[in-house]
Amino acid sequence: MNNNEALANEMGRSLWQDALQRIRKNKVAMASFWYLLFQGTVAILAPFLTRFGYETTDLLLGATAPDWVHLFGTDDLGRDMFTRVLYGARVSLMVGILATLVSVGIGVTYGAVSGYTGGRVDALMMRGLEILYAMPFTFFVIILMVLFGRNIYLMFIALGAVQWLTMARIVRGQVVSLKTMEYVTAARAMGVRNHAIIFRHILPNVISPVIIYTTLTIPGVILEEAFLSFLGLGVQEPMSSWGTLIADGVTALETYPWMIVYPCITLMLTLVALNFLGDGLREALDPKSNWE
Amino acid sequence: MTQPVMKVDQLRMHFPLQQGLLDRSRNWIRAVDGVSFSIAYGETLGLVGESGCGKSTLGRTLIRLYRPTSGQIEICGQEVSALEGEPLRKARINFQMIFQDPYASLNPRMTVFDSIAEPLRTHGLETDKQSLTLHIESLMNKVGLSPRFIRKYPHEFSGGQRQRVAIARALAINPKVIICDEPISALDVSIQAQILNLLVTLQKELGLSYLFIAHDLAAVRYISTRIAVMYLGRIVEIASKEDLFSNPSHPYTQALLSAVPIADPIKERARKRILLSGELPSPSHPPSGCAFHTRCPYAQPRCVAETPVARDLGDGHLSVCHFGKGEFLPR
């Protein structure tokens, strides 16, 4: 036993403390974390980081290639692409965060309750889920827009409301298999209360699939937002999001390639960082992974 | 005679076999079908029987993981078979279980400290962090684990060490009875003896009583004071271990004991084995009369028609068979 380990033993190890220590040692995950933090800060501070307005057109200028004034070039209406990418980060990151929160919050709770309770409650909750599944997503969004008027927050809700369904199913499946594990039986024999069993024995063991699915959810919703905006149901011109910028860029691909290159690079970097961070988190939360 | 620590009377545990959505007629798996026995303070009752005879279900019913269909379970003078909710939780302080597979019975994301602390915290026995740590360290010493492993995770241990953690966890709240559900069958042979000896030592030290469920007759013989033999959800014979091994009365016990190999090759060659024909009948349709009559080498017409009652052969040696020694006739 080396000194480090002895020290760790003295200090006490809990799963979360351990995870924190481990992820700090994971350089890729930490770099990703700092990158995402940077991306978030930049999005919040967007108005102070650029001289141009995202909606200011300069029709005389038109589309220009990147130079020192317009770092990412301008689009065909003469709007500064750097500014539009910065502002686009606001919508895209917000969609990513909110949809994920909804998906993890509702999905995990619903799935855990359904799977742990079992029997008729489980069957009923799963049939309810299937009814929601059966609803066409675009139709659902259109109904929301008609009922409540066009609103960007409604779109967040709509995206989240669709994403948690799959999460709930994944979590339920895991919980159903975990609750028959002998350590759960042992906890019941000890007289551990139900909520403690769920929080101490079951949820920590569903973390891996939840993190993996979350890292898949975020890019999914960012792209779905682009799809909604394309249909005219999401973000409206002149406001931008990464999805709409890419959609615009596709049409100008041959003539003004910088219009698609920069939003794509930003989106890609963010998604890569999210994946590395998710991977790092999953590894850090697994005591079996090597961390010396 | 003093009060037994555990007294079980006519315990039945039947599980419904649901047919379908509309057909509500039910079939029942009679996993435990009228079991009675008692365990005295400081005693070990061994429970043997072939796979599927209901020994694990019996253990799990006694620990109240299931609610018995009927019958009584009295532990430390308290009737627990019908308890639910908070009273049941409180009653659990008297009985604990050691599980078969130490790889499955410990949460992989909990350190030794957390695993052993869980029963203590659950029952509010130790709230102060420092005395909790001391308590856990002393438990670890008791089961032969170095306290410096207190912050380790289960995967960092061998099977034997994990089983020691599981034993420490079961001991934490100072129970009177521990139900050991095949606690050594998942371990290496070299480790089995260590764990058995540990259980014996702890029993002497703490005055524990065990119900030791196993299919390894040698282990049961080593650890038990008395042994019960189970067949198809019922106990067919119960006796002190000396009596049972030297003088088995029930034909099933005789067959079971004759299957134990002898280490001496000359004696082994001379050993007479009683081979049972057929398979264990389905517990959803147990045979009429004596449940063993389908495979018994001495079955008579009476066995098909009449359910045998326990015969006392003296000294608490009970055998559930119509016939006594010397009355057996081949079919």
Side-chain angles (χ1 to χ4, degrees):
Chain A
M1 195 153 92
N2 61 35
N3 277 341
N4 251 340
E5 220 175 314
L7 194 70
N9 284 356
E10 300 278 317
M11 280 168 21
R13 269 161 87 183
S14 81
L15 188 66
W16 303 103
Q17 286 166 333
D18 257 15
L20 202 67
Q21 274 184 27
R22 274 188 249 189
I23 200 149
R24 283 211 182 114
K25 288 188 183 169
N26 186 338
K27 291 196 184 85
V28 181
M30 283 319 280
S32 303
F33 172 73
W34 290 118
Y35 173 77
L36 290 171
L37 204 66
F38 164 77
Q39 184 68 258
T41 322
V42 163
I44 292 166
L45 298 178
F48 305 104
L49 296 173
T50 170
R51 286 178 288 146
F52 304 97
Y54 64 90
E55 77 285 36
T56 325
T57 55
D58 190 343
L59 292 171
L60 289 177
L61 185 65
T64 56
D67 55 29
W68 286 112
V69 184
H70 301 286
L71 285 174
F72 291 181
T74 57
D75 67 5
D76 41 5
L77 296 176
R79 294 179 294 198
D80 181 48
M81 283 301 291
F82 178 69
T83 311
R84 289 181 66 72
V85 170
L86 280 191
Y87 276 90
R90 293 181 145 193
V91 174
S92 293
L93 292 182
M94 189 104 112
V95 165
I97 291 167
L98 281 180
T100 306
L101 282 183
V102 173
S103 150
V104 172
I106 304 181
V108 172
T109 320
Y110 195 94
V113 169
S114 175
Y116 189 75
T117 318
R120 275 184 202 171
V121 179
D122 181 34
L124 216 70
M125 285 176 87
M126 282 302 114
R127 296 302 84 74
L129 203 72
E130 277 150 23
I131 291 170
L132 289 178
Y133 251 122
M135 210 129 97
F137 167 61
T138 2
F139 187 64
F140 178 61
V141 178
I142 292 170
I143 289 178
L144 275 182
M145 298 289 164
V146 170
L147 285 179
F148 299 104
R150 191 179 290 151
N151 182 336
I152 196 160
Y153 297 102
L154 264 184
M155 190 184 64
F156 296 154
I157 294 171
L159 281 170
V162 172
Q163 293 299 328
W164 72 265
L165 302 173
T166 312
M167 180 67 92
R169 278 199 156 175
I170 290 173
V171 171
R172 180 204 167 254
Q174 287 285 318
V175 170
V176 165
S177 78
L178 281 172
K179 77 170 176 182
T180 59
M181 294 295 287
E182 219 159 53
Y183 55 81
V184 176
T185 315
R188 283 204 290 136
M190 255 180 256
V192 181
R193 291 183 178 87
N194 273 338
H195 66 91
I197 290 181
I198 292 185
F199 283 107
R200 219 178 293 152
H201 293 281
I202 292 184
L203 288 185
N205 287 296
V206 275
I207 278 178
S208 293
V210 167
I211 289 178
I212 291 168
Y213 186 67
T214 305
T215 53
L216 293 174
T217 305
I218 296 175
V221 291
I222 290 179
L223 296 177
E224 236 161 80
E225 175 272 319
F227 163 72
L228 285 182
S229 300
F230 180 75
L231 288 182
L233 292 169
V235 177
Q236 289 307 300
E237 288 281 348
M239 192 59 203
S240 65
S241 74
W242 289 343
T244 56
L245 289 177
I246 292 169
D248 288 348
V250 171
T251 57
L253 186 61
E254 284 172 22
T255 37
Y256 320 122
W258 57 87
M259 275 180 65
I260 192 165
V261 168
Y262 292 99
C264 275
I265 290 177
T266 330
L267 177 61
M268 187 197 73
L269 281 178
T270 308
L271 297 187
V272 167
L274 276 170
N275 273 302
F276 278 129
L277 184 62
D279 220 36
L281 269 177
R282 189 182 50 74
E283 216 164 86
L285 283 166
D286 181 4
K288 273 184 211 148
S289 64
N290 239 336
W291 65 299
E292 275 311 310
Chain B
M1 188 150 160
T2 49
Q3 274 275 320
V5 67
M6 177 184 258
K7 193 163 175 291
V8 179
D9 192 31
Q10 286 300 312
L11 189 69
R12 287 193 167 77
M13 185 69 239
H14 297 178
F15 294 101
L17 258 181
Q18 200 137 357
Q19 300 281 299
L21 201 63
L22 297 173
D23 180 13
R24 287 276 167 200
S25 68
R26 278 176 163 187
N27 245 325
W28 299 87
I29 293 273
R30 300 158 181 238
V32 176
D33 205 16
V35 165
S36 307
F37 64 85
S38 66
I39 304 176
Y41 279 95
E43 186 189 43
T44 301
L45 177 68
L47 183 64
V48 293
E50 65 195 293
S51 309
C53 73
K55 22 182 224 304
S56 282
T57 308
L58 175 59
R60 283 166 183 247
T61 311
L62 294 176
I63 210 82
R64 279 308 314 277
L65 286 168
Y66 309 131
R67 193 193 168 111
T69 312
S70 68
Q72 263 91 51
I73 308 168
E74 208 179 292
I75 296 174
C76 300
Q78 190 188 8
E79 165 58 43
V80 299
S81 62
L83 289 184
E84 284 299 335
E86 201 59 15
L88 175 62
R89 250 175 46 74
K90 291 224 170 73
R92 288 186 185 282
I93 203 152
N94 286 324
F95 51 99
Q96 282 296 303
M97 189 159 191
I98 298 168
F99 290 86
Q100 176 176 9
D101 184 0
Y103 290 85
S105 65
L106 297 171
N107 186 335
R109 286 172 204 262
M110 275 164 84
T111 58
V112 173
F113 177 88
D114 289 326
S115 282
I116 304 179
E118 184 163 44
L120 291 165
R121 285 175 173 153
T122 300
H123 290 278
L125 295 181
E126 294 279 3
T127 39
D128 173 41
K129 174 109 184 179
Q130 197 160 8
S131 65
L132 181 66
T133 311
L134 283 175
H135 192 152
I136 289 170
E137 283 175 353
S138 86
L139 280 166
M140 289 178 76
N141 277 323
K142 243 180 225 165
V143 298
L145 276 175
S146 164
R148 71 194 161 91
F149 295 145
I150 195 164
R151 302 292 170 190
K152 294 228 175 239
Y153 287 98
H155 75 270
E156 295 169 284
F157 290 112
S158 68
Q161 285 173 314
R162 290 184 198 208
Q163 198 58 297
R164 286 172 196 269
V165 176
I167 292 172
R169 178 177 65 180
L171 289 177
I173 53 176
N174 216 357
K176 303 289 175 295
V177 196
I178 296 186
I179 291 165
C180 310
D181 187 5
E182 310 211 18
I184 57 168
S185 54
L187 304 174
D188 287 352
V189 178
S190 56
I191 309 296
Q192 291 187 345
Q194 292 178 15
I195 297 294
L196 278 182
N197 285 330
L198 174 65
L199 288 172
V200 172
T201 315
L202 289 171
Q203 178 168 46
K204 281 186 194 139
E205 211 175 295
L206 305 168
L208 294 166
S209 308
Y210 294 133
L211 175 69
F212 190 90
I213 303 171
H215 51 242
D216 177 355
L217 287 167
V220 172
R221 185 177 195 169
Y222 176 76
I223 198 166
S224 307
T225 331
R226 287 187 306 141
I227 298 175
V229 181
M230 213 168 155
Y231 183 79
L232 211 65
R234 293 161 220 208
I235 289 180
V236 293
E237 185 162 10
I238 185 164
S240 71
K241 74 169 164 191
E242 295 81 12
D243 232 13
L244 192 92
F245 274 89
S246 61
N247 193 17
S249 166
H250 196 281
Y252 181 64
T253 315
Q254 292 171 0
L256 203 63
L257 296 185
S258 82
V260 181
I262 305 169
D264 183 334
I266 297 164
K267 285 186 189 158
E268 168 69 15
R269 235 167 277 143
R271 179 166 66 98
K272 271 203 202 106
R273 299 187 59 184
I274 306 170
L275 288 175
L276 292 180
S277 57
E279 280 175 38
L280 192 67
S282 160
S284 62
H285 298 98
S288 63
C290 172
F292 188 52
H293 81 251
T294 52
R295 298 168 75 193
C296 183
Y298 313 113
Q300 303 297 323
R302 185 183 171 195
C303 301
V304 185
E306 228 179 290
T307 309
V309 287
R311 287 158 60 110
D312 195 342
L313 308 174
D315 280 340
H317 186 156
L318 300 178
S319 173
V320 186
C321 183
H322 292 303
F323 307 103
K325 203 123 198 152
E327 294 170 15
F328 293 124
L329 301 165
R331 336 183 169 218

